[in-house]
Amino acid sequence: MNDAPDAPRTYDVIVIGAGPVGENVADRTRAAGLSTVVVESELVGGECSYWACMPSKALLRPALAHADARKLPGLSRAAQGPLDAAAVLARRDDFTSHWKDDGQVDWLRSVDVELVRGHGRLAGERRVEVDTPDGGTVRLEARHAVAVCTGTTAALPPMPGLDDIHPWTSREATSAKEVPGRLAVVGGGVVAVEMATAWQALGSQVTLLVRGNALLDRVEPFAGEMVADGLREAGVDVRFGANVSLVERDGAAGEVRIGLEGGARVAADEVLFATGRAPHTGDVGLETVGLKPGGWLPVDDTLLVTGVDGGWLYAVGDVNHRVLLTHEGKYQARIAGAVIAARAKGEPVDDAAWGRHVATADHAAVPQVVFTDPEVAAVGLSAAEAEQAGLRTKVVDYDLAQVAGASLYRDGYRGRARMVVDLDRGHLVGVTFVGPGVGELLHSATVAVAAEVPMERLWHAVPSYPTISEIWLRLLEAYRG
């Protein structure tokens, strides 16, 4: 490394963005012997650690445990009171390390990855310039690869008055210090339903404003219907066909008035817009390599950006728009790190060698859990998606409440399971579970879909009794007829 003041620092690999995706790319390339530097403008650990996965689940876990306890004899009487909101928020703060990244920085040091704090931008082929907090500039050059791992930001709709009301996005929803008396949530996706679940349980009166006529439109329709029923049972005012047309706040800290098409009005103390995500690529220097700023970065299955010559620029995680999920981004990061290392060493990149295969799991075996009451856990294709893909399928449904393990879980258990079988290939292409506690069932389904386990072999995977996993036996019995 050249330490002259104006000379670029040279590394094998430069990673822009130190969220979980960037961290995993750096870990894999460094483990392969490549010198690696990470550039981060905010907190090392990224969105997931401080404003998404971890704080949101810290808010949701007490809400879901409380819901279970209230429906379990022996606990129900003790659990009738409200949650201790202050304790829940304090525990949330612990999970975010109080928005300090010392531990994550220590981890980077432990794996011998260097950190440059500041705003990083591409400055041409294999070059990155970093504007540092002290007003300086650090110039970096990569021998082999630059990986853009900058993720996404909340997408807000163009709407008169929106900037003036200081709306919540997912960040404010997971980091708020006080419980608003009334919270309006605009949206019908995962963030919307999870935050409606959490804040209703913490004491807000939540109104969920859904533009369309269903929740969670990317999973089986019955999942969204059951989540809507669960939200209403918890006290959430769920309104479909609610298209927000204007917002205004009464004074700097007054109530927010929300106008809907058709003339209806909603009043709230805060309003959360959970209306999608946009790529965080507006100011990362894409124009210097012939790409349009602000857009998604399309990649091939080795995570190499298409449309950029030289085979050096990678885009990993949400920024490539393949799958906007942390665990899939980390999967891509492991693949990208292995691919970068293989190419740096002149080794072939194939799909046969362990640790060097190209990304495939983010095409057809994507798992996701929605942490509502009831939970939704799904992997692979829905029945409609399988039909649209032209597959000849058999769809098998089963009432989860009829499984012994579910009936023991809590009184009044409501749930449903569905598996979608490709009849021509003889294996599962999709599985969906809806019900309390089903999130822990999902990995078995993911293994079955990703590994294309023949249906005849699944019959010999015996579930333990009495657990909710016995649903596998019931589904297979129904499939066999």
Side-chain angles (χ1 to χ4, degrees):
M1 184 187 302
N2 191 332
D3 291 325
D6 296 324
R9 304 179 188 176
T10 302
Y11 298 84
D12 292 324
V13 181
I14 302 169
V15 180
I16 305 177
V21 173
E23 287 180 319
N24 273 270
V25 172
D27 183 41
R28 292 296 84 212
T29 56
R30 189 68 196 95
L34 301 180
S35 61
T36 303
V37 62
V38 169
V39 179
E40 176 54 53
S41 61
E42 292 188 292
L43 296 175
V44 175
E47 200 79 11
C48 179
S49 297
Y50 305 104
W51 300 286
C53 319
M54 296 309 294
S56 68
K57 302 316 171 278
L59 292 174
L60 284 159
R61 179 59 195 144
L64 300 182
H66 192 229
D68 289 335
R70 293 176 70 173
K71 296 183 179 180
L72 193 62
L75 281 177
S76 57
R77 183 177 299 177
Q80 289 308 308
L83 288 176
D84 183 342
V88 173
L89 296 179
R91 183 172 184 263
R92 182 272 319 268
D93 292 352
D94 288 341
F95 270 93
T96 63
S97 300
H98 300 265
W99 290 274
K100 296 179 180 179
D101 63 2
D102 298 359
Q104 301 274 18
V105 172
D106 288 343
W107 177 82
L108 283 179
R109 291 195 191 101
S110 75
V111 295
D112 198 23
V113 171
E114 293 199 35
L115 170 66
V116 176
R117 290 194 183 271
H119 185 87
R121 299 180 185 85
L122 296 170
E125 184 172 341
R126 293 183 171 83
R127 297 198 306 274
V128 173
E129 291 186 354
V130 185
D131 294 336
T132 60
D134 62 5
T137 300
V138 174
R139 295 174 176 83
L140 306 172
E141 285 190 1
R143 295 186 187 92
H144 300 295
V146 176
V148 178
C149 308
T150 50
T152 59
T153 59
L156 293 173
M159 183 179 299
L162 189 59
D163 290 341
D164 297 332
I165 69 165
H166 303 292
W168 279 12
T169 67
S170 55
R171 284 198 168 194
E172 289 77 18
T174 56
S175 63
K177 299 298 185 184
E178 296 180 356
V179 179
R182 299 166 297 172
L183 174 65
V185 180
V186 181
V190 175
V191 172
V193 296
E194 287 191 345
M195 290 298 94
T197 299
W199 288 104
Q200 181 73 30
L202 287 168
S204 286
Q205 175 53 58
V206 175
T207 302
L208 183 60
L209 303 172
V210 187
R211 182 174 184 175
N213 58 10
L215 299 178
L216 303 173
D217 58 5
R218 295 185 180 182
V219 295
E220 298 285 6
F222 66 80
E225 293 167 6
M226 295 179 75
V227 169
D229 289 344
L231 287 169
R232 290 192 177 105
E233 184 178 329
V236 175
D237 180 2
V238 181
R239 304 189 190 185
F240 292 109
N243 193 14
V244 177
S245 57
L246 63 90
V247 289
E248 58 184 6
R249 189 182 288 275
D250 183 13
E255 74 173 18
V256 179
R257 291 185 285 269
I258 304 163
L260 307 179
E261 287 185 1
R265 295 287 187 270
V266 175
D269 298 297
E270 300 291 350
V271 55
L272 162 63
F273 277 83
T275 49
R277 306 291 294 178
H280 196 9
T281 60
D283 188 20
V284 295
L286 296 184
E287 67 280 1
T288 69
V289 295
L291 299 175
K292 182 179 179 181
W296 303 101
L297 296 177
V299 297
D300 64 19
D301 280 350
T302 68
L303 290 312
L304 193 67
V305 175
T306 57
V308 176
D309 295 334
W312 60 275
L313 184 61
Y314 294 78
V316 192
D318 288 5
V319 75
N320 63 35
H321 207 224
R322 284 165 71 108
V323 184
L324 275 64
L325 293 167
T326 296
H327 46 272
E328 288 292 332
K330 291 165 71 173
Y331 160 75
Q332 292 178 8
R334 295 190 293 270
I335 299 299
V339 166
I340 290 168
R343 286 176 171 156
K345 297 173 183 179
E347 298 174 354
V349 174
D350 56 53
D351 60 358
W354 174 263
R356 293 193 297 162
H357 53 72
V358 295
T360 56
D362 54 7
H363 290 308
V366 176
Q368 181 174 20
V369 178
V370 184
F371 293 85
T372 45
D373 181 25
E375 285 183 349
V376 177
V379 61
L381 303 177
S382 67
E385 289 170 337
E387 182 179 0
Q388 291 165 6
L391 302 181
R392 189 173 68 92
T393 64
K394 182 174 182 178
V395 178
V396 181
D397 290 313
Y398 200 87
D399 180 0
L400 258 169
Q402 300 305 309
V403 175
S407 65
L408 290 168
Y409 196 89
R410 75 186 200 186
D411 283 4
Y413 190 102
R414 294 196 298 270
R416 185 172 172 184
R418 168 173 288 181
M419 68 179 187
V420 182
V421 183
D422 183 332
L423 293 175
D424 292 324
R425 292 182 291 171
H427 63 76
L428 291 169
V429 293
V431 182
T432 300
F433 303 113
V434 182
V438 299
E440 297 300 336
L441 291 176
L442 189 58
H443 192 60
S444 57
T446 303
V447 170
V449 173
E452 300 182 355
V453 179
M455 298 300 292
E456 312 87 70
R457 291 304 307 157
L458 280 180
W459 183 253
H460 298 283
V462 181
S464 298
Y465 180 88
T467 66
I468 300 178
S469 63
E470 197 184 12
I471 184 59
W472 281 109
L473 174 59
R474 303 304 170 212
L475 287 169
L476 289 165
E477 287 174 334
Y479 172 72
R480 287 164 67 102

